[in-house]
Protein backbone atom coordinates (compact mmCIF):
# COMPACT_ATOMS: atom_id res chain seq x y z
CA UNK A 1 0.00 0.00 0.00
CA UNK A 2 1.38 3.41 -0.99
CA UNK A 3 1.82 5.94 1.79
CA UNK A 4 1.01 9.64 1.86
CA UNK A 5 3.78 11.34 3.79
CA UNK A 6 3.30 14.67 5.54
CA UNK A 7 5.51 16.74 7.82
CA UNK A 8 2.52 18.36 9.54
CA UNK A 9 1.01 17.07 12.74
CA UNK A 10 -2.63 18.10 13.12
CA UNK A 11 -4.89 18.38 16.15
CA UNK A 12 -8.59 19.01 16.65
CA UNK A 13 -11.38 18.26 19.12
CA UNK A 14 -13.30 15.17 17.99
CA UNK A 15 -16.34 15.92 20.13
CA UNK A 16 -18.88 18.69 19.68
CA UNK A 17 -18.42 22.12 21.23
CA UNK A 18 -20.05 22.82 24.57
CA UNK A 19 -20.00 21.34 28.07
CA UNK A 20 -20.09 17.55 28.34
CA UNK A 21 -18.99 14.76 30.61
CA UNK A 22 -16.08 13.96 28.32
CA UNK A 23 -14.13 15.66 25.56
CA UNK A 24 -11.90 13.94 23.02
CA UNK A 25 -8.94 15.52 21.25
CA UNK A 26 -7.39 13.79 18.27
CA UNK A 27 -3.80 14.21 17.02
CA UNK A 28 -2.31 12.75 13.83
CA UNK A 29 1.17 13.00 12.36
CA UNK A 30 4.88 12.41 12.98
CA UNK A 31 5.08 14.39 16.25
CA UNK A 32 2.66 12.14 18.15
CA UNK A 33 5.33 10.35 20.20
CA UNK A 34 6.96 13.64 21.28
CA UNK A 35 3.56 15.19 22.09
CA UNK A 36 2.62 12.17 24.22
CA UNK A 37 5.88 12.45 26.14
CA UNK A 38 5.36 16.15 26.87
CA UNK A 39 1.60 16.18 27.57
CA UNK A 40 1.18 12.80 29.33
CA UNK A 41 4.79 12.05 30.32
CA UNK A 42 4.53 8.64 28.65
CA UNK A 43 3.84 6.93 25.32
CA UNK A 44 1.30 4.23 26.21
CA UNK A 45 1.27 0.76 24.64
CA UNK A 46 -0.52 0.62 21.30
CA UNK A 47 -4.32 0.51 21.56
CA UNK A 48 -4.21 0.41 25.36
CA UNK A 49 -5.97 3.13 27.35
CA UNK A 50 -3.59 4.71 29.85
CA UNK A 51 -4.59 7.01 32.72
CA UNK A 52 -2.33 10.03 32.98
CA UNK A 53 -1.99 13.62 34.10
CA UNK A 54 -2.05 16.09 31.20
CA UNK A 55 0.40 18.99 31.49
CA UNK A 56 1.66 21.67 29.15
CA UNK A 57 5.37 22.05 28.35
CA UNK A 58 5.70 24.31 31.40
CA UNK A 59 4.59 21.33 33.55
CA UNK A 60 1.36 23.04 34.54
CA UNK A 61 -1.46 20.58 35.19
CA UNK A 62 -4.40 20.86 32.79
CA UNK A 63 -6.49 17.79 33.64
CA UNK A 64 -6.34 14.04 34.20
CA UNK A 65 -7.76 11.47 31.80
CA UNK A 66 -7.04 8.74 29.28
CA UNK A 67 -4.55 8.69 26.44
CA UNK A 68 -4.57 6.16 23.58
CA UNK A 69 -1.88 5.61 20.96
CA UNK A 70 -2.41 4.11 17.49
CA UNK A 71 0.83 3.48 15.60
CA UNK A 72 0.91 3.87 11.82
CA UNK A 73 -0.34 2.31 9.65
CA UNK A 74 -2.88 0.77 12.06
CA UNK A 75 -4.89 3.92 12.69
CA UNK A 76 -7.78 5.80 11.15
CA UNK A 77 -5.51 8.16 9.20
CA UNK A 78 -2.75 5.62 8.50
CA UNK A 79 -0.37 7.84 10.52
CA UNK A 80 0.60 7.86 14.20
CA UNK A 81 -2.53 8.95 16.08
CA UNK A 82 -3.14 10.06 19.66
CA UNK A 83 -6.48 10.48 21.39
CA UNK A 84 -6.80 12.37 24.65
CA UNK A 85 -9.96 11.87 26.70
CA UNK A 86 -10.53 14.52 29.38
CA UNK A 87 -13.39 16.35 31.05
CA UNK A 88 -15.61 18.07 28.52
CA UNK A 89 -15.12 21.64 29.65
CA UNK A 90 -14.61 24.09 26.75
CA UNK A 91 -11.90 25.81 28.84
CA UNK A 92 -9.99 22.55 29.39
CA UNK A 93 -10.33 21.61 25.72
CA UNK A 94 -8.88 24.95 24.69
CA UNK A 95 -6.00 24.64 27.17
CA UNK A 96 -5.17 21.16 25.85
CA UNK A 97 -5.30 22.33 22.24
CA UNK A 98 -2.99 25.23 23.07
CA UNK A 99 -0.57 22.89 24.85
CA UNK A 100 -0.47 20.47 21.91
CA UNK A 101 -0.01 23.31 19.40
CA UNK A 102 2.93 24.56 21.50
CA UNK A 103 4.48 21.11 20.95
CA UNK A 104 4.51 21.68 17.18
CA UNK A 105 1.08 20.64 15.95
CA UNK A 106 -1.37 22.84 14.08
CA UNK A 107 -5.15 22.98 14.05
CA UNK A 108 -6.64 20.63 11.48
CA UNK A 109 -8.73 21.87 8.59
CA UNK A 110 -12.32 20.59 8.30
CA UNK A 111 -12.20 16.98 7.14
CA UNK A 112 -8.41 16.75 7.23
CA UNK A 113 -8.32 13.54 9.30
CA UNK A 114 -10.63 11.81 6.81
CA UNK A 115 -8.66 13.29 3.91
CA UNK A 116 -5.45 11.76 5.26
CA UNK A 117 -7.23 8.43 5.70
CA UNK A 118 -8.25 8.63 2.03
CA UNK A 119 -4.80 9.66 0.80
CA UNK A 120 -3.25 6.80 2.81
CA UNK A 121 -5.76 4.39 1.21
CA UNK A 122 -7.37 3.47 4.51
CA UNK A 123 -10.74 4.34 2.99
CA UNK A 124 -11.92 5.32 -0.49
CA UNK A 125 -13.80 8.49 -1.35
CA UNK A 126 -17.31 7.05 -0.96
CA UNK A 127 -16.37 5.75 2.49
CA UNK A 128 -14.95 9.15 3.44
CA UNK A 129 -18.19 10.85 2.37
CA UNK A 130 -20.16 8.21 4.28
CA UNK A 131 -18.46 9.37 7.51
CA UNK A 132 -19.93 12.84 7.09
CA UNK A 133 -23.28 11.37 6.04
CA UNK A 134 -23.35 9.10 9.10
CA UNK A 135 -22.71 12.06 11.41
CA UNK A 136 -25.41 14.13 9.66
CA UNK A 137 -27.96 11.30 9.38
CA UNK A 138 -31.42 12.56 10.25
CA UNK A 139 -33.12 9.17 10.57
CA UNK A 140 -32.40 5.56 11.48
CA UNK A 141 -32.79 4.55 7.82
CA UNK A 142 -30.24 7.15 6.71
CA UNK A 143 -27.82 6.12 9.48
CA UNK A 144 -28.01 2.43 8.55
CA UNK A 145 -27.51 3.22 4.86
CA UNK A 146 -24.56 5.54 5.59
CA UNK A 147 -23.00 2.80 7.72
CA UNK A 148 -23.29 0.37 4.81
CA UNK A 149 -21.49 2.87 2.58
CA UNK A 150 -18.83 3.28 5.26
CA UNK A 151 -18.40 -0.50 5.34
CA UNK A 152 -17.73 -0.37 1.59
CA UNK A 153 -20.97 -1.77 0.15
CA UNK A 154 -21.23 0.93 -2.53
CA UNK A 155 -17.50 0.80 -3.29
CA UNK A 156 -17.53 -2.98 -3.74
CA UNK A 157 -20.36 -2.78 -6.24
CA UNK A 158 -18.57 -0.06 -8.22
CA UNK A 159 -15.29 -2.02 -8.23
CA UNK A 160 -17.03 -5.23 -9.32
CA UNK A 161 -18.55 -3.33 -12.25
CA UNK A 162 -15.19 -1.77 -13.12
CA UNK A 163 -13.55 -5.22 -13.11
CA UNK A 164 -16.13 -6.49 -15.60
CA UNK A 165 -15.39 -3.51 -17.84
CA UNK A 166 -11.64 -4.18 -17.58
CA UNK A 167 -12.17 -7.85 -18.46
CA UNK A 168 -14.16 -6.94 -21.58
CA UNK A 169 -11.63 -4.26 -22.56
CA UNK A 170 -8.81 -6.78 -22.27
CA UNK A 171 -10.57 -9.10 -24.71
CA UNK A 172 -11.35 -6.28 -27.17
CA UNK A 173 -7.86 -4.76 -27.03
CA UNK A 174 -6.18 -8.16 -27.35
CA UNK A 175 -8.16 -8.80 -30.53
CA UNK A 176 -7.11 -5.38 -31.85
CA UNK A 177 -3.45 -6.12 -31.09
CA UNK A 178 -3.50 -9.45 -32.97
CA UNK A 179 -5.30 -8.73 -36.27
CA UNK A 180 -3.47 -11.60 -38.01
CA UNK A 181 -5.82 -14.03 -36.32
CA UNK A 182 -8.50 -12.75 -38.72
CA UNK A 183 -11.27 -13.32 -36.20
CA UNK A 184 -14.32 -11.08 -36.19
CA UNK A 185 -14.27 -10.74 -32.42
CA UNK A 186 -17.08 -8.18 -32.41
CA UNK A 187 -19.36 -10.84 -33.88
CA UNK A 188 -18.52 -13.13 -30.96
CA UNK A 189 -21.74 -13.42 -28.90
CA UNK A 190 -19.55 -13.36 -25.78
CA UNK A 191 -18.85 -9.65 -26.32
CA UNK A 192 -22.51 -8.68 -26.48
CA UNK A 193 -23.32 -10.98 -23.57
CA UNK A 194 -20.67 -9.38 -21.35
CA UNK A 195 -21.77 -5.89 -22.37
CA UNK A 196 -25.37 -6.78 -21.49
CA UNK A 197 -24.28 -8.10 -18.08
CA UNK A 198 -22.42 -4.85 -17.46
CA UNK A 199 -25.51 -2.83 -18.39
CA UNK A 200 -27.75 -4.94 -16.12
CA UNK A 201 -25.40 -4.53 -13.16
CA UNK A 202 -25.09 -0.83 -13.93
CA UNK A 203 -28.87 -0.31 -13.88
CA UNK A 204 -29.13 -2.06 -10.51
CA UNK A 205 -26.43 0.18 -9.03
CA UNK A 206 -27.94 3.31 -10.57
CA UNK A 207 -31.37 2.58 -9.09
CA UNK A 208 -29.83 1.93 -5.66
CA UNK A 209 -27.75 5.12 -5.88
CA UNK A 210 -30.84 7.14 -6.82
CA UNK A 211 -32.56 5.91 -3.66
CA UNK A 212 -29.36 6.64 -1.74
CA UNK A 213 -29.40 10.25 -2.92
CA UNK A 214 -33.01 10.60 -1.76
CA UNK A 215 -31.91 9.41 1.67
CA UNK A 216 -29.00 11.83 1.76
CA UNK A 217 -30.61 14.91 0.26
CA UNK A 218 -34.35 14.28 0.37
CA UNK A 219 -36.95 15.34 -2.18
CA UNK A 220 -37.99 18.88 -2.98
CA UNK A 221 -41.78 19.05 -3.32
CA UNK A 222 -43.34 22.22 -4.75
CA UNK A 223 -46.95 23.18 -3.95
CA UNK A 224 -48.22 25.01 -7.03
CA UNK A 225 -51.48 26.31 -8.47
CA UNK A 226 -53.65 29.39 -8.71
CA UNK A 227 -54.23 31.68 -5.69
CA UNK A 228 -56.60 30.45 -2.98
CA UNK A 229 -56.64 26.78 -4.03
CA UNK A 230 -55.26 25.63 -0.65
CA UNK A 231 -51.47 25.56 -1.07
CA UNK A 232 -50.72 27.32 2.21
CA UNK A 233 -53.33 25.26 4.06
CA UNK A 234 -51.67 22.11 2.76
CA UNK A 235 -48.24 23.34 3.90
CA UNK A 236 -49.64 23.93 7.38
CA UNK A 237 -51.23 20.48 7.39
CA UNK A 238 -48.01 18.71 6.35
CA UNK A 239 -45.82 20.59 8.83
CA UNK A 240 -48.34 20.42 11.65
CA UNK A 241 -48.06 24.13 12.39
CA UNK A 242 -49.23 27.51 11.11
CA UNK A 243 -46.22 28.13 8.92
CA UNK A 244 -48.05 30.00 6.17
CA UNK A 245 -50.64 32.76 6.47
CA UNK A 246 -54.02 31.58 5.17
CA UNK A 247 -56.54 34.21 4.02
CA UNK A 248 -59.22 34.40 1.32
CA UNK A 249 -57.30 37.30 -0.24
CA UNK A 250 -55.57 36.28 -3.51
CA UNK A 251 -51.81 36.80 -3.60
CA UNK A 252 -51.20 36.41 0.14
CA UNK A 253 -48.15 34.22 -0.50
CA UNK A 254 -45.66 36.26 -2.51
CA UNK A 255 -42.40 34.50 -1.77
CA UNK A 256 -41.31 30.88 -1.41
CA UNK A 257 -41.99 29.34 2.00
CA UNK A 258 -39.79 26.33 2.70
CA UNK A 259 -40.33 23.74 5.41
CA UNK A 260 -38.69 20.41 6.21
CA UNK A 261 -40.59 17.27 7.17
CA UNK A 262 -39.84 13.54 7.28
CA UNK A 263 -41.85 10.78 5.68
CA UNK A 264 -40.78 7.22 6.56
CA UNK A 265 -37.43 8.58 7.72
CA UNK A 266 -36.75 10.38 4.43
CA UNK A 267 -36.49 14.21 4.32
CA UNK A 268 -38.98 16.15 2.23
CA UNK A 269 -38.40 19.84 1.51
CA UNK A 270 -41.88 21.32 1.06
CA UNK A 271 -42.02 24.63 -0.82
CA UNK A 272 -45.19 26.75 -0.80
CA UNK A 273 -45.24 29.03 -3.83
CA UNK A 274 -46.94 32.19 -4.99
CA UNK A 275 -50.26 31.62 -6.75
CA UNK A 276 -50.08 31.74 -10.54
CA UNK A 277 -52.40 34.33 -12.10
CA UNK A 278 -52.46 37.44 -14.29
CA UNK A 279 -51.34 40.48 -12.29
CA UNK A 280 -49.58 43.81 -12.63
CA UNK A 281 -48.22 43.76 -9.07
CA UNK A 282 -44.41 43.88 -9.32
CA UNK A 283 -43.84 41.98 -6.07
CA UNK A 284 -46.35 39.28 -6.99
CA UNK A 285 -44.77 38.93 -10.45
CA UNK A 286 -41.39 38.30 -8.84
CA UNK A 287 -42.99 35.68 -6.60
CA UNK A 288 -44.43 33.91 -9.65
CA UNK A 289 -41.04 34.02 -11.36
CA UNK A 290 -39.57 32.25 -8.35
CA UNK A 291 -42.45 29.79 -8.45
CA UNK A 292 -41.66 28.80 -12.02
CA UNK A 293 -37.99 28.48 -11.13
CA UNK A 294 -38.69 26.04 -8.27
CA UNK A 295 -41.11 24.12 -10.51
CA UNK A 296 -38.24 23.44 -12.89
CA UNK A 297 -35.96 22.29 -10.06
CA UNK A 298 -38.31 20.31 -7.81
CA UNK A 299 -38.27 16.52 -7.99
CA UNK A 300 -42.04 16.42 -7.35
CA UNK A 301 -44.96 18.84 -7.66
CA UNK A 302 -48.38 18.86 -6.06
CA UNK A 303 -50.52 20.80 -8.56
CA UNK A 304 -53.57 21.94 -6.58
CA UNK A 305 -56.92 22.71 -8.19
CA UNK A 306 -60.06 24.19 -6.61
CA UNK A 307 -62.84 21.63 -7.16
CA UNK A 308 -65.47 24.40 -7.05
CA UNK A 309 -63.98 26.35 -9.94
CA UNK A 310 -62.27 24.11 -12.49
CA UNK A 311 -63.65 21.06 -14.29
CA UNK A 312 -60.97 18.40 -14.60
CA UNK A 313 -62.51 16.18 -17.27
CA UNK A 314 -59.96 17.38 -19.78
CA UNK A 315 -56.46 16.70 -18.46
CA UNK A 316 -54.80 18.21 -21.54
CA UNK A 317 -56.30 21.62 -20.80
CA UNK A 318 -54.99 21.45 -17.24
CA UNK A 319 -51.50 20.47 -18.40
CA UNK A 320 -51.46 23.29 -20.91
CA UNK A 321 -52.13 25.70 -18.05
CA UNK A 322 -48.95 24.65 -16.28
CA UNK A 323 -46.49 27.44 -17.26
CA UNK A 324 -43.33 25.38 -17.29
CA UNK A 325 -41.62 23.03 -19.70
CA UNK A 326 -42.11 19.67 -18.02
CA UNK A 327 -41.09 16.57 -19.95
CA UNK A 328 -41.74 14.08 -17.16
CA UNK A 329 -45.36 14.35 -16.04
CA UNK A 330 -44.76 11.65 -13.44
CA UNK A 331 -43.30 14.48 -11.34
CA UNK A 332 -46.78 16.03 -11.07
CA UNK A 333 -49.64 14.94 -8.84
CA UNK A 334 -52.99 16.65 -9.39
CA UNK A 335 -54.82 17.43 -6.15
CA UNK A 336 -58.49 18.33 -6.47
CA UNK A 337 -59.06 20.28 -3.25
CA UNK A 338 -62.21 21.57 -1.50
CA UNK A 339 -64.37 18.55 -2.35
CA UNK A 340 -66.29 19.29 0.86
CA UNK A 341 -67.95 22.12 -1.10
CA UNK A 342 -68.98 19.81 -3.95
CA UNK A 343 -70.60 16.44 -4.47
CA UNK A 344 -67.21 14.80 -5.22
CA UNK A 345 -66.01 11.94 -3.03
CA UNK A 346 -62.50 11.41 -1.72
CA UNK A 347 -60.55 9.06 -3.97
CA UNK A 348 -57.30 8.41 -5.81
CA UNK A 349 -57.22 7.65 -9.52
CA UNK A 350 -55.00 7.64 -12.57
CA UNK A 351 -55.64 9.97 -15.48
CA UNK A 352 -53.48 9.56 -18.58
CA UNK A 353 -50.58 8.29 -16.46
CA UNK A 354 -50.85 11.03 -13.85
CA UNK A 355 -52.00 10.49 -10.26
CA UNK A 356 -55.12 12.47 -9.31
CA UNK A 357 -56.30 12.77 -5.69
CA UNK A 358 -59.67 14.18 -4.64
CA UNK A 359 -59.54 15.59 -1.10
CA UNK A 360 -60.30 18.40 1.29
CA UNK A 361 -57.41 19.84 3.26
CA UNK A 362 -59.88 21.70 5.48
CA UNK A 363 -61.93 18.68 6.60
CA UNK A 364 -59.28 15.99 6.14
CA UNK A 365 -61.32 14.01 3.59
CA UNK A 366 -58.98 12.00 1.36
CA UNK A 367 -55.81 13.07 3.14
CA UNK A 368 -54.94 9.40 3.73
CA UNK A 369 -54.57 9.03 -0.04
CA UNK A 370 -52.07 11.88 -0.06
CA UNK A 371 -50.11 10.34 2.82
CA UNK A 372 -49.90 7.00 0.99
CA UNK A 373 -48.83 8.81 -2.17
CA UNK A 374 -46.05 10.70 -0.37
CA UNK A 375 -44.82 7.44 1.15
CA UNK A 376 -44.64 5.87 -2.33
CA UNK A 377 -42.27 8.67 -3.38
CA UNK A 378 -39.81 7.95 -0.60
CA UNK A 379 -40.09 4.17 -0.66
CA UNK A 380 -36.52 3.20 0.21
CA UNK A 381 -35.37 -0.39 0.12
CA UNK A 382 -33.63 -1.50 3.31
CA UNK A 383 -32.59 -4.84 1.89
CA UNK A 384 -29.03 -6.00 2.35
CA UNK A 385 -26.78 -3.89 0.14
CA UNK A 386 -28.66 -0.60 0.37
CA UNK A 387 -26.39 2.42 0.76
CA UNK A 388 -26.40 6.19 0.91
CA UNK A 389 -25.20 8.21 -2.09
CA UNK A 390 -24.62 11.77 -3.22
CA UNK A 391 -25.58 13.87 -6.21
CA UNK A 392 -22.03 13.73 -7.60
CA UNK A 393 -22.24 9.93 -7.63
CA UNK A 394 -25.34 10.09 -9.82
CA UNK A 395 -23.65 12.57 -12.14
CA UNK A 396 -20.66 10.25 -12.55
CA UNK A 397 -22.96 7.26 -13.08
CA UNK A 398 -24.92 9.17 -15.73
CA UNK A 399 -21.71 9.98 -17.62
CA UNK A 400 -20.72 6.33 -17.40
CA UNK A 401 -24.18 5.32 -18.67
CA UNK A 402 -23.80 7.56 -21.72
CA UNK A 403 -20.44 5.94 -22.50
CA UNK A 404 -22.03 2.48 -22.25
CA UNK A 405 -24.86 3.55 -24.57
CA UNK A 406 -22.27 4.72 -27.07
CA UNK A 407 -20.39 1.44 -26.66
CA UNK A 408 -23.50 -0.52 -27.63
CA UNK A 409 -24.02 1.73 -30.69
CA UNK A 410 -20.43 1.09 -31.74
CA UNK A 411 -20.83 -2.65 -31.27
CA UNK A 412 -24.09 -2.87 -33.21
CA UNK A 413 -23.68 -0.30 -35.95
CA UNK A 414 -20.02 0.50 -36.52
CA UNK A 415 -18.11 -2.68 -35.60
CA UNK A 416 -15.12 -0.55 -34.56
CA UNK A 417 -13.07 -2.30 -31.89
CA UNK A 418 -10.93 0.74 -31.11
CA UNK A 419 -13.99 2.91 -30.48
CA UNK A 420 -15.59 0.21 -28.35
CA UNK A 421 -12.47 0.01 -26.19
CA UNK A 422 -12.39 3.79 -25.80
CA UNK A 423 -16.04 3.95 -24.74
CA UNK A 424 -15.48 1.20 -22.17
CA UNK A 425 -12.44 3.07 -20.88
CA UNK A 426 -14.46 6.30 -20.55
CA UNK A 427 -17.23 4.47 -18.67
CA UNK A 428 -14.63 2.97 -16.35
CA UNK A 429 -12.96 6.32 -15.62
CA UNK A 430 -16.29 7.93 -14.69
CA UNK A 431 -16.91 5.10 -12.21
CA UNK A 432 -13.42 5.58 -10.77
CA UNK A 433 -14.36 9.19 -10.00
CA UNK A 434 -16.89 7.83 -7.50
CA UNK A 435 -14.37 5.90 -5.40
CA UNK A 436 -11.64 8.51 -5.85
CA UNK A 437 -9.22 6.45 -7.91
CA UNK A 438 -9.49 9.12 -10.59
CA UNK A 439 -10.40 12.43 -8.94
CA UNK A 440 -9.29 16.06 -9.35
CA UNK A 441 -7.68 17.93 -6.46
CA UNK A 442 -10.40 20.58 -6.70
CA UNK A 443 -13.10 17.99 -6.11
CA UNK A 444 -11.22 16.54 -3.13
CA UNK A 445 -10.87 19.99 -1.59
CA UNK A 446 -14.58 20.68 -2.02
CA UNK A 447 -15.64 17.34 -0.54
CA UNK A 448 -13.46 17.44 2.56
CA UNK A 449 -14.04 21.14 3.24
CA UNK A 450 -17.69 20.25 3.98
CA UNK A 451 -16.68 17.91 6.83
CA UNK A 452 -16.74 18.98 10.46
CA UNK A 453 -13.53 19.74 12.36
CA UNK A 454 -11.96 16.63 13.89
CA UNK A 455 -13.16 14.21 11.18
Amino acid sequence: MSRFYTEDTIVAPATAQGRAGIGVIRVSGPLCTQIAAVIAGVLPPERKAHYASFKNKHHELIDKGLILYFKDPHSFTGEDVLEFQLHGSPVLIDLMLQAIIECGARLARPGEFSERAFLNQKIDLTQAEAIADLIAAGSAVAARSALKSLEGVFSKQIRALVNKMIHLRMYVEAAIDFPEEEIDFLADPKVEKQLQEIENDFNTIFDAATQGVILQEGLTVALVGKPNVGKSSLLNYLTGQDTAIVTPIPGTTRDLLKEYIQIEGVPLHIVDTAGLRQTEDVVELEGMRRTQDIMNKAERMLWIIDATEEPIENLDDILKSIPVNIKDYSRITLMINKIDLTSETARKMNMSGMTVIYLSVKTGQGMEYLQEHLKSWVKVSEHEGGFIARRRHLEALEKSRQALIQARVVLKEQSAGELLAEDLKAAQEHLNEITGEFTSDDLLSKIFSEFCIGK
Side-chain angles (χ1 to χ4, degrees), residues 12 18 23 45 55 88 91 126 131 135 146 187 191 227 234-235 262 265 272 277 332 341 355 391 404:
K55 302 178 181 180
V91 174
T126 59
I131 295 171
I135 294 171
V191 174
L234 180 58
L235 177 68
Q262 277 198 9
D272 185 17
R277 64 169 181 165
I332 303 176
L341 303 178
T355 300
R391 187 69 56 181
L404 286 177

Side-chain angles (χ1 to χ4, degrees), residues 31-45:
L31 295 180
C32 278
T33 54
Q34 295 96 308
I35 290 173
V38 173
I39 302 296
V42 64
L43 181 67

Side-chain angles (χ1 to χ4, degrees), residues 141 211 214-215 218-219 221 262-268 300 371-381:
V141 176
Q211 290 297 317
I214 292 175
L215 270 178
L219 287 175
V221 181
Q262 277 198 9
I263 299 289
E264 300 286 293
V266 176
L268 290 186
R300 297 288 191 274
Q371 292 286 355
E372 292 174 4
H373 189 58
L374 294 178
K375 289 179 182 179
S376 72
W377 285 349
V378 300
K379 190 75 172 177
V380 177
S381 173

Side-chain angles (χ1 to χ4, degrees), residues 53-127:
S53 296
F54 301 146
K55 302 178 181 180
N56 60 24
K57 66 178 184 179
H58 306 294
H59 307 291
E60 297 170 337
L61 181 66
I62 299 173
D63 196 5
K64 294 184 178 182
L66 298 178
I67 177 175
L68 293 95
Y69 172 57
F70 304 88
K71 182 172 175 53
D72 74 280
H74 306 296
S75 70
F76 172 68
T77 62
E79 304 172 333
D80 281 355
V81 169
L82 290 175
E83 284 192 4
F84 296 97
Q85 298 181 11
L86 61 158
H87 293 99
S89 161
V91 174
L92 294 179
I93 296 294
D94 285 343
L95 287 174
M96 276 289 286
L97 289 173
Q98 182 179 344
I100 294 170
I101 290 172
E102 288 177 351
C103 292
R106 65 168 173 81
L107 283 175
R109 302 188 307 272
E112 191 167 3
F113 287 90
S114 297
E115 183 178 15
R116 291 190 178 195
F118 166 72
L119 294 173
N120 282 319
Q121 299 180 28
K122 304 294 290 185
I123 54 176
D124 64 30
L125 200 51
T126 59
Q127 290 174 298

